[in-house]
Amino acid sequence: SFTMNMYLFVYDLMQFCGHSWIFTNMIIRFMTFGKDSLVDTFYSIGLVMRVCQLLSVLEILHILTGIDKSRLLPRFLQITERIIVLFVVINSQEEVQGKYVVCVLFFLWNLLDVVRYTYNMLARMGIYYLPLTWLNFSLCIPLYPLSVLAKAFAICVSLPYFESFGTYSIKLPSPFAFSIYFPYVLKMYLLVLFIGMCFIVQNLFSERKAHLGTGNIKNKRS
């Protein structure tokens, strides 16, 4: 309906504004301060980044309610990966926030999202530009695996701090005698992360083929 389409357009516009601000801020800060800007990336844009990622949870609801026709599982995996790495790993360990990998990860996320939300906004209005369509469904194929590697590296960097501080590790008293050592949980999650990457990359190739096939390109040109 027109109302739902307008709602999705406003949502995409909000996300576009947020990620564009982050992306522009990162570039300007790097051009101004050079490498010194990398260590305080989280402190300068972390709040806006967290707001944007929390808003992205709505995309799961959009799919569940049927107003967005995207596939649920790939989008769910992509969103939960970011939520876990950003809020559980980076946000909880101040020592990790100043690492260069955080800047790299934020750059990859925002580059992908600026393109994706631009494409989505125009698509809501029935506007399709072939170069933008190609960029939206092609750029993610190399950049998403790179972002997964950056996530994995951020997790590996955080492990010594989780071991030292015992963050999120739980040891229940007797008679339960049960404990959760969080670094082990993160190591197991690394395996899940790479398995999920294989599934999502396969889905990205399928989406690219569906949207950039010869017939679809001709239809969008006409």
Side-chain angles (χ1 to χ4, degrees):
S1 67
F2 175 79
T3 304
M4 289 296 98
N5 199 53
M6 182 58 65
Y7 161 74
L8 290 175
F9 176 83
V10 172
Y11 168 80
D12 291 330
L13 177 61
M14 290 174 60
Q15 288 282 35
F16 169 78
C17 291
H19 288 289
S20 296
W21 182 87
I22 295 172
F23 191 67
T24 305
N25 186 285
M26 290 181 67
I27 293 175
I28 293 176
R29 285 176 54 80
F30 181 76
M31 293 176 63
T32 304
F33 302 107
K35 291 184 178 180
D36 293 338
S37 66
L38 303 182
V39 295
D40 63 346
T41 296
F42 185 84
Y43 303 103
S44 60
I45 64 175
L47 177 60
V48 181
M49 192 71 196
R50 281 173 283 182
V51 171
C52 288
Q53 296 308 316
L54 286 176
L55 280 176
S56 69
V57 177
L58 291 174
E59 296 178 28
I60 299 175
L61 298 179
H62 296 164
I63 299 173
L64 290 174
T65 55
I67 62 175
D68 188 340
K69 303 303 180 183
S70 302
R71 295 181 62 188
L72 176 61
L73 184 56
R75 195 73 198 115
F76 175 79
L77 290 175
Q78 288 176 296
I79 291 172
T80 52
E81 285 173 8
R82 291 191 181 189
I83 293 293
I84 290 172
V85 172
L86 179 59
F87 287 93
V88 178
V89 176
I90 298 175
N91 191 64
S92 66
Q93 299 296 336
E94 187 174 352
E95 291 77 6
V96 178
Q97 295 168 11
K99 304 294 185 181
Y100 287 169
V101 66
V102 174
C103 182
V104 173
L105 191 57
F106 283 9
F107 181 84
L108 293 172
W109 284 356
N110 285 281
L111 178 58
L112 287 169
D113 285 338
V114 167
V115 174
R116 184 165 71 90
Y117 289 115
T118 302
Y119 172 83
N120 287 347
M121 281 192 301
L122 295 177
R124 308 293 180 198
M125 299 185 291
I127 301 173
Y128 298 93
Y129 291 111
L130 183 56
L132 180 60
T133 302
W134 183 90
L135 191 64
N136 181 63
F137 292 102
S138 301
L139 187 65
C140 55
I141 293 176
L143 291 193
Y144 174 73
L146 287 177
S147 72
V148 172
L149 291 176
K151 293 171 195 172
F153 187 75
I155 291 174
C156 292
V157 168
S158 72
L159 287 175
Y161 302 108
F162 280 105
E163 292 172 354
S164 300
F165 302 136
T167 310
Y168 300 132
S169 294
I170 301 173
K171 186 174 183 179
L172 298 177
S174 298
F176 302 101
F178 177 76
S179 61
I180 298 176
Y181 188 56
F182 195 69
Y184 289 162
V185 176
L186 287 178
K187 290 176 182 179
M188 289 188 291
Y189 180 68
L190 284 173
L191 178 61
V192 176
L193 194 63
F194 283 103
I195 293 174
M197 181 189 71
C198 296
F199 171 74
I200 292 174
V201 168
Q202 183 180 12
N203 181 72
L204 293 175
F205 274 107
S206 299
E207 286 187 344
R208 187 181 188 278
K209 184 178 179 180
H211 287 83
L212 296 178
T214 305
N216 288 323
I217 291 175
K218 289 180 178 178
N219 290 334
K220 288 176 181 179
R221 279 179 174 173
S222 59

